[in-house]
Amino acid sequence: MTDLTRAMRPFCQSRRMLTVAALGLLSSLAAAAYPDRPIKIVVPWAPGGATDQIARLLAPPLSQAMGVPVVVENKAGAGGVVGTQLFVKEKADGYTLLLATSSTNAAAPHLVAKLGFDPISDFTPVLQLCSIPNVMVVPVKSPWKTLKDIVDAAKKSPASYTYGSAGIGGSQHLAGAQFKTAAKIDIRHVPYKGSGPAAQDLLAGHIDMMIDTGSLGSIRGGLLRPIAVASSKRLAVLPAVPTFEEAGTPMLASAWYGITLPREAPSDVVQRLNTELNKILRSAEVRQKLIDMGAEVGGGSASEFAGFMASEIKRYEGVVKDSGAPKE
């Protein structure tokens, strides 16, 4: 080894150390840069339903918290399955979120033969947002005033009446199937590409009823008449409306909503979103708006939501079986 080589050794070592340190700094800066472009929330349903309403409620405060635009993108079809299939193919970089529901991530695996995604391994849970009990509604011009009126009419004329839903596997579909079984009646299911289109046809009188989760606006507006709520107790926002059990046909049905990322999302991104979304759910304005929708507000850790999702997939196996809804 020459004297020059010996003399250069400390310099080369220092240079290597500086290079490693610089790379580490660049990596930290890159991680800290999230987010540096718009974030989108995929809603696998048409505009107008409860899922869409929740996404659009969250987008502005989430945009403010993250410092970038947050946009809502509706990708409807097949009871939320089409949009969910597209979502799982997205990069798990924190820029595409899914507003997941009990319909797509718990019921659909037991109702859809060719699902196109794994309800566990294709998702990274972030946070459970809320749950909303289903409410039986009819057009305000309907002659039906009580649940007994509907049951009596359906028994008198089997298969003559229809109920709408956001699609096969949606909470409205399952609730309707549960109602048919519990009341021992025959009413026909009419699936749509989202709650919004179904509600429009209900208001127009093209279908007879829905057991919906996003109809409070139309109820308050005097367009729909609430008949019964599918919860264990009356809703604070509809204190005069009986539960299904009180109305003579015991059944429980509700939909839950949460935020997920695609599989193998970075843990720091998951934690950042979980933290910000928990803060948003605790804000008085957002909390009250969810309560006004008839929702029970959620929150908690990502791991808690992961455990909840897994348990719901198992629970819905029994719900679907008991409802009598076929796998299509």
Side-chain angles (χ1 to χ4, degrees), residues 1-19:
M1 181 181 295
T2 66
D3 291 341
L4 179 61
T5 302
R6 291 192 186 93
M8 290 294 291
R9 181 186 293 172
F11 172 77
C12 292
Q13 289 175 338
S14 297
R15 188 174 181 180
R16 283 197 296 271
M17 291 174 65
L18 286 170
T19 300

Side-chain angles (χ1 to χ4, degrees), residues 249-273:
T249 305
M251 62 169 274
L252 298 173
S254 65
W256 55 257
Y257 307 83
I259 293 292
T260 72
L261 292 166
R263 66 188 302 173
E264 299 178 355
S267 59
D268 57 335
V269 170
V270 174
Q271 186 56 54
R272 173 76 190 280
L273 287 167

Side-chain angles (χ1 to χ4, degrees), residues 312-324:
E312 282 292 278
I313 292 170
K314 181 64 178 176
R315 186 177 75 86
Y316 266 88
E317 182 178 8
V319 171
V320 171
K321 183 178 179 180
D322 290 344
S323 74

Side-chain angles (χ1 to χ4, degrees), residues 49 146 227 233 249 278 310:
T146 67
I227 299 295
K233 58 183 180 181
T249 305
N278 266 304

Side-chain angles (χ1 to χ4, degrees), residues 7-318:
M8 290 294 291
R9 181 186 293 172
F11 172 77
C12 292
Q13 289 175 338
S14 297
R15 188 174 181 180
R16 283 197 296 271
M17 291 174 65
L18 286 170
T19 300
V20 170
L23 289 172
L25 179 60
L26 288 172
S27 177
S28 298
L29 288 173
Y34 172 80
D36 61 0
R37 53 190 170 88
I39 294 171
K40 66 179 177 181
I41 302 176
V42 174
V43 172
W45 310 89
T51 314
D52 183 63
Q53 293 174 41
I54 293 168
R56 294 182 190 280
L57 173 60
L58 291 176
L62 184 59
S63 174
Q64 184 175 8
M66 303 298 281
V68 297
V70 176
V71 298
V72 176
E73 189 172 291
N74 297 86
K75 295 183 177 179
V81 171
V82 170
T84 307
Q85 289 172 338
L86 294 171
F87 165 80
V88 297
K89 297 175 183 177
E90 297 275 357
K91 291 182 180 179
D93 54 8
Y95 290 95
T96 303
L97 318 180
L98 175 73
L99 211 152
T101 70
S102 49
S103 299
T104 53
N105 289 70
H110 309 297
L111 285 161
V112 182
K114 296 181 180 179
L115 191 59
F117 58 84
D118 186 289
I120 294 292
S121 64
D122 282 335
F123 301 86
T124 302
V126 175
L127 181 77
Q128 183 185 358
L129 297 169
C130 64
S131 60
I132 304 178
N134 291 64
V135 180
M136 168 73 84
V137 289
V138 298
V140 72
K141 294 181 180 179
S142 170
W144 300 327
K145 301 294 194 299
T146 67
L147 197 65
K148 185 177 184 300
D149 291 341
I150 295 174
V151 173
D152 288 347
K155 286 184 175 180
K156 184 177 181 180
S157 303
S160 297
Y161 301 105
T162 55
Y163 74 96
S165 82
I168 294 171
S171 65
Q172 301 98 332
H173 173 205
L174 274 185
Q178 284 181 266
F179 176 53
K180 288 172 59 176
T181 301
K184 297 180 175 59
I185 57 174
D186 182 12
I187 51 177
R188 293 182 290 113
H189 175 222
V190 181
Y192 290 81
K193 290 185 178 181
S195 298
Q200 288 173 8
D201 264 15
L202 178 64
L203 291 171
H206 300 313
I207 53 177
D208 298 299
M209 71 196 87
M210 283 183 69
I211 309 180
D212 195 17
T213 55
S215 56
L216 281 178
S218 294
I219 292 171
R220 291 192 183 102
L223 300 174
L224 292 177
R225 177 184 300 132
I227 299 295
V229 296
S231 54
S232 58
K233 58 183 180 181
R234 296 192 182 197
L235 298 182
V237 290
L238 295 173
V241 180
T243 66
F244 272 81
E245 183 171 9
E246 289 175 327
T249 305
M251 62 169 274
L252 298 173
S254 65
W256 55 257
Y257 307 83
I259 293 292
T260 72
L261 292 166
R263 66 188 302 173
E264 299 178 355
S267 59
D268 57 335
V269 170
V270 174
Q271 186 56 54
R272 173 76 190 280
L273 287 167
N274 177 273
T275 298
E276 299 299 346
L277 286 166
N278 266 304
K279 289 179 183 177
I280 290 168
L281 289 183
R282 288 195 295 268
S283 73
E285 181 181 2
V286 170
R287 189 176 187 85
Q288 189 58 53
K289 286 182 178 179
L290 286 172
I291 291 172
D292 288 344
M293 290 177 63
E296 298 173 343
V297 183
S301 69
S303 61
E304 287 172 338
F305 186 33
F308 174 76
M309 288 178 67
S311 67
E312 282 292 278
I313 292 170
K314 181 64 178 176
R315 186 177 75 86
Y316 266 88
E317 182 178 8

